[in-house]
Amino acid sequence: MSDRYASFAHTGPGRALVKRLGLPDPPRLRRDRPGDPLIHGPVRLDAAPGGRLREPLAKLLTTAGVELSADTDAAADVEGATGVEGAAGVEGADHGAATAARPVLHGALLYDATGITDSTGLRALFDFFHPLARALHPSGRVIVFGSPPESCTNPREATAQRALEGLTRSIGKEFGRGTTAQLVYVAPGAERAVESTLRFLLSGRSAYVSGQVVRITPADVPEVDWARPLAGRIALVTGAARGIGAKVAEVLAADGAQVVALDVPAAGDALAEVANGVGGTAVQLDLTAPDAPVRLAEHLADRHGRVDVVVHNAGITRDKTLGRMKPDWWDQVLDVNLSSQERINEVLLDRGLIPHGGRLIAVSSIAGIAGNRGQTNYATSKAGVIGLVHSMAPLLAERGITVNAVAPGFIETRLTARIPLMFREAGRRLNSLAQGGLPVDVAQTIAWFASPGSAGITGNVVRVCGQSVLGA
């Protein structure tokens, strides 16, 4: 589904009209393309005194081939980037002088805030970001690293670390031009488990993820082939016949996984096309059937002996306000979107088919966070998915298995194409990036969770919504 407004806004006349009327200005997002560098432009990295992550981060960035920016003159950064003052912005200024004064534009700004131990130390964040706020390339990246408040040794430190969420979410709304901002809480001892998250958040794969909080816990992380991190892994994707599920199958296969694509028998032709396209296999199965979990488990055991990645993507909607909703519409949505996941997880885990290093990944929704009129059944099921992730994470950690969820916002699919125009436009524009996301944005986030390098990421729910105004 095309976004005609965004296409018009990117034309010359469109840009002029958007600026004149103060209309939403959807930027062109930097999405991942084969052969692209991890980040365009140098990365500026700094830390509060006593921070424990600056050196590990610098080493990871250097190993990944990322250029680290040297300190630059703060005033030049501001003046040159705004185009209002300084030699680069004064009409009639000497061209040679303007060129010499042109500041460095950074691909990303990274700050290690783990050394901040009380609220007065938060001033260091202002001192770092203030002069660099307009010195980012379009689709730049801002990442702040902190310590989980629950791991802090005293209330003042925990207070300061919790304050970081307000900073990063505000930056995501202020910096513009496709910039994203995230907060990554790294537990003490988890410094070696950061690389997968760092690579994802810097890359074009996180184009539609902003204003999020990620928690990383200590874990043994294996060596990872970052070009094909899922090589040799078996990945099950439910609801794979079309839309987000089909794109998830494609992305996981591109990352090296052998994909088992599952959907209902009625979608058999489309499912076969997806499976053939990714070199995987197709399974036609109604997940709500009483024997579905056992049949699925037996298929996986017989054909593969295990399943390393389980992506619970299958879902339906049956929309109506609660007072007008049919009882079976409630039952159908809860069964497909939530209860079937619980049943399948139980059988696969009981039979030992998900090994150490396995990944359970569920698809929730911002409706499960914020609620939605006419979708009480859907929102209940998707909030339940979040509850499943939070409740299972500590239990599965003992078995070396992670469980996480993505919560998509407005994603351009055949389903959102059916939404009435005014509501569709509101869904697209009411986020920091002023546009809808694409199925690939959800798929790339799922692939990050699925990576062997993400062993320290569990119990997380990450919204893929362009930092929607709805929800937390």
Side-chain angles (χ1 to χ4, degrees):
M1 179 174 58
S2 63
D3 183 344
R4 294 182 179 179
Y5 173 85
S7 298
F8 173 71
H10 293 154
T11 66
R15 283 192 293 270
L17 188 63
V18 164
K19 184 175 182 180
R20 185 180 309 119
L21 299 181
L23 298 173
D25 186 10
R28 295 185 186 274
L29 302 184
R30 176 177 64 92
R31 288 189 167 90
D32 183 66
R33 296 180 301 179
D36 276 359
L38 188 62
I39 188 77
H40 294 283
V43 170
R44 181 74 175 271
L45 171 65
D46 207 344
R52 56 186 167 83
L53 290 171
R54 180 171 183 168
E55 289 187 10
L57 289 171
K59 183 177 180 181
L60 289 175
L61 292 166
T62 301
T63 302
V66 173
E67 177 189 355
L68 290 177
S69 171
D71 288 348
T72 56
D73 180 74
D77 279 333
V78 175
E79 293 171 2
T82 60
V84 175
E85 297 182 24
V90 176
E91 188 174 345
D94 178 74
H95 177 72
T99 302
R102 187 171 296 157
V104 173
L105 289 181
H106 300 85
L109 305 176
L110 273 57
Y111 194 83
D112 170 17
T114 58
I116 297 177
T117 57
D118 61 39
S119 58
T120 62
L122 295 169
R123 173 58 190 266
L125 295 160
F126 175 86
D127 292 340
F128 176 70
F129 286 111
H130 173 67
L132 298 171
R134 300 190 182 185
L136 274 168
H137 279 291
S139 287
R141 301 288 186 258
V142 173
I143 311 175
V144 175
F145 296 86
S147 297
E150 61 271 17
S151 74
C152 294
T153 57
N154 61 74
R156 295 190 69 178
E157 181 182 3
T159 298
Q161 291 296 317
R162 178 59 179 79
L164 301 177
E165 292 192 30
L167 170 87
T168 51
R169 287 184 169 134
S170 297
I171 286 175
K173 296 178 178 180
E174 284 187 2
F175 279 20
R177 299 197 306 162
T179 294
T180 63
Q182 327 289 349
L183 171 61
V184 180
Y185 282 131
V186 182
E191 292 80 6
R192 295 175 59 86
V194 172
E195 185 170 7
S196 176
T197 298
L198 179 64
R199 284 176 173 269
F200 171 69
L201 295 180
L202 286 178
S203 75
R205 291 187 164 211
S206 61
Y208 202 62
V209 176
S210 189
Q212 299 306 289
V213 178
V214 178
R215 281 177 160 78
I216 303 178
T217 57
D220 293 326
V221 179
E223 292 292 326
V224 178
D225 175 2
W226 296 108
R228 287 176 61 83
L230 297 178
R233 302 233 162 182
I234 309 299
L236 169 69
V237 181
T238 70
R242 57 181 61 87
I244 291 173
K247 185 58 68 172
V248 171
E250 179 184 321
V251 168
L252 296 186
D255 279 356
Q258 183 174 353
V259 174
V260 179
L262 182 150
D263 216 312
V264 293
D269 291 343
L271 181 67
E273 184 177 348
V274 170
N276 292 335
V278 302
T281 58
V283 176
Q284 297 182 26
L285 185 64
D286 179 356
L287 293 178
T288 64
D291 62 345
V294 171
R295 288 173 59 192
L296 177 59
E298 291 176 348
H299 174 85
L300 293 169
D302 293 343
R303 294 289 297 271
H304 306 286
R306 70 184 196 283
V307 59
D308 303 292
V309 179
V310 177
V311 181
H312 289 294
N313 169 72
I316 63 171
T317 58
R318 297 288 185 270
D319 295 350
K320 191 69 74 172
T321 56
L322 188 59
R324 298 174 179 270
M325 186 177 295
K326 300 175 183 178
D328 61 330
W329 282 18
W330 176 277
D331 295 338
Q332 290 169 16
V333 169
L334 267 292
D335 199 18
V336 173
N337 296 4
L338 179 60
S339 300
S340 68
Q341 292 189 26
E342 295 177 302
R343 294 191 296 265
I344 290 168
N345 289 344
E346 288 174 1
V347 172
L348 295 181
L349 290 167
D350 288 347
R351 297 192 178 201
L353 289 172
I354 305 176
H356 186 281
R359 304 283 185 263
L360 282 175
I361 306 162
V363 177
S364 180
S365 168
I366 62 169
I369 298 171
N372 202 16
R373 176 180 169 81
Q375 287 194 313
T376 52
N377 50 1
Y378 184 78
T380 300
S381 70
K382 294 304 185 177
V385 167
I386 295 172
L388 181 153
V389 167
H390 289 162
S391 61
M392 290 189 68
L395 302 176
L396 294 181
E398 300 173 0
R399 302 170 63 165
I401 299 170
T402 67
V403 55
N404 298 283
V406 294
F410 187 96
I411 305 297
E412 304 279 1
T413 67
R414 64 183 182 86
L415 295 178
T416 52
R418 299 173 184 171
I419 298 173
L421 177 62
M422 294 303 295
F423 291 103
R424 188 165 70 240
E425 281 301 300
R428 283 171 169 159
R429 308 305 162 210
L430 293 179
N431 61 72
S432 296
L433 300 176
Q435 61 195 285
L438 302 179
V440 71
D441 298 321
V442 182
Q444 298 284 21
T445 307
I446 288 172
W448 159 53
F449 282 145
S451 170
S454 298
I457 305 169
T458 193
N460 284 260
V461 178
V462 170
R463 291 188 297 157
V464 186
C465 63
Q467 196 179 14
S468 172
V469 299
L470 300 177

